Amino acid sequence: MFFVFLFILIVFILWAIVLYVRKSHWDTIHRNLLDLEDHFEGKVIRRGFAARPFFHGKVKGYPFTLNISTERLKDKRMNYVDISWDLPAGEALTISELEWLKKQRENNTEGLTVVEAENGKKFAFIHKNKKRLEQIVRYPVVKDFINHFEELCYVFLSKNGLICEFSTDNLARATEFESLNKRLDLLKKLGEAFKQ
């Protein structure tokens, strides 16, 4: 009977440690997102004790939501920051990091326009008009975006706004205001370049 009690106690202690570590992690991200509240109009929402926080409000004058998601890969967990911003564009355009896109499409990226950034990463561009796309890839704002937006998975611009996702190994660092604000400035410049 003593060993059963000891086993249950050890399992409970391990569970409590895991819960504490998870809560501490989300507390750090919550504090980082509170800086968005300080600089923009909106609220950080957290629906539970150890739940992921998210931000919803207006950023730079447009409705904005920032969520966090995770994906279990072979040997590690990947974190993603998902941004939905009602910054309307005059045309639909997708820019995606090529390696990320290959994973999503089972290596089928044939026929896509690919541009290499200064850091050697390649980005696929998707637009319904190939001639227009040839112009777009030469825009200074587009080149600046792919050269400076770190860890981009994809950005999709449309008449309804933009959706962006980037990956990160260090969610606490990626949600710091300076890091987020740099990305938001790049997204806003890109969105405004294609504004209606």
Side-chain angles (χ1 to χ4, degrees):
M1 184 70 178
F2 173 74
F3 291 110
V4 172
F5 176 72
L6 186 62
F7 176 75
I8 291 171
L9 182 63
I10 290 171
V11 169
F12 178 75
I13 289 171
L14 289 175
W15 175 79
I17 290 170
V18 168
L19 186 62
Y20 175 77
V21 169
R22 178 180 165 91
K23 183 184 179 327
S24 296
H25 177 70
W26 293 123
D27 284 348
T28 301
I29 286 131
H30 189 144
R31 280 191 301 276
N32 287 347
L33 294 181
L34 286 174
D35 287 339
L36 287 177
E37 270 189 27
D38 294 341
H39 292 88
F40 303 114
E41 178 185 335
K43 270 292 198 213
V44 176
I45 301 165
R46 192 165 175 187
R47 299 186 191 257
F49 174 71
R52 295 178 185 135
F54 66 95
F55 178 85
H56 182 71
K58 279 192 171 185
V59 172
K60 303 182 192 267
Y62 297 95
F64 176 91
T65 301
L66 182 144
N67 288 306
I68 296 164
S69 59
T70 59
E71 176 184 29
R72 170 68 76 190
L73 299 174
K74 295 173 190 165
D75 55 345
K76 67 177 184 173
R77 182 171 291 279
M78 198 65 198
N79 297 303
Y80 297 97
V81 177
D82 308 306
I83 295 171
S84 173
W85 201 356
D86 293 356
L87 185 64
E91 55 192 310
L93 171 68
T94 301
I95 303 171
S96 179
E97 198 271 327
L98 187 61
E99 292 306 311
W100 180 87
L101 187 62
K102 283 181 179 180
K103 291 176 191 169
Q104 307 306 311
R105 290 182 158 202
E106 298 174 355
N107 286 325
N108 184 10
T109 56
E110 228 175 271
L112 297 178
T113 300
V114 176
V115 175
E116 189 170 334
E118 291 171 354
N119 62 7
K121 281 196 171 190
K122 294 182 179 177
F123 293 88
F125 286 74
I126 303 169
H127 191 281
K128 66 180 180 181
N129 184 327
K130 287 284 187 188
K131 284 189 178 189
R132 174 78 176 117
L133 188 55
E134 289 173 15
Q135 296 171 340
I136 289 171
V137 298
R138 290 193 297 268
Y139 283 3
V141 70
V142 171
K143 288 182 179 182
D144 187 49
F145 182 81
I146 64 171
N147 287 327
H148 295 101
F149 198 104
E150 297 172 0
E151 303 171 300
L152 177 71
C153 293
Y154 70 90
V155 61
F156 171 69
L157 298 115
S158 75
K159 293 179 181 179
N160 297 321
L162 68 81
I163 299 170
C164 177
E165 182 173 86
F166 64 91
S167 62
T168 181
D169 293 343
N170 188 337
L171 203 48
R173 189 174 58 232
T175 56
E176 289 174 349
F177 181 74
E178 294 78 22
S179 176
L180 280 175
N181 197 44
K182 179 183 172 190
R183 287 181 168 109
L184 296 178
D185 285 341
L186 288 167
L187 283 169
K188 188 166 192 271
K189 287 177 188 170
L190 182 69
E192 287 180 341
F194 295 95
K195 205 169 183 179
Q196 295 178 349

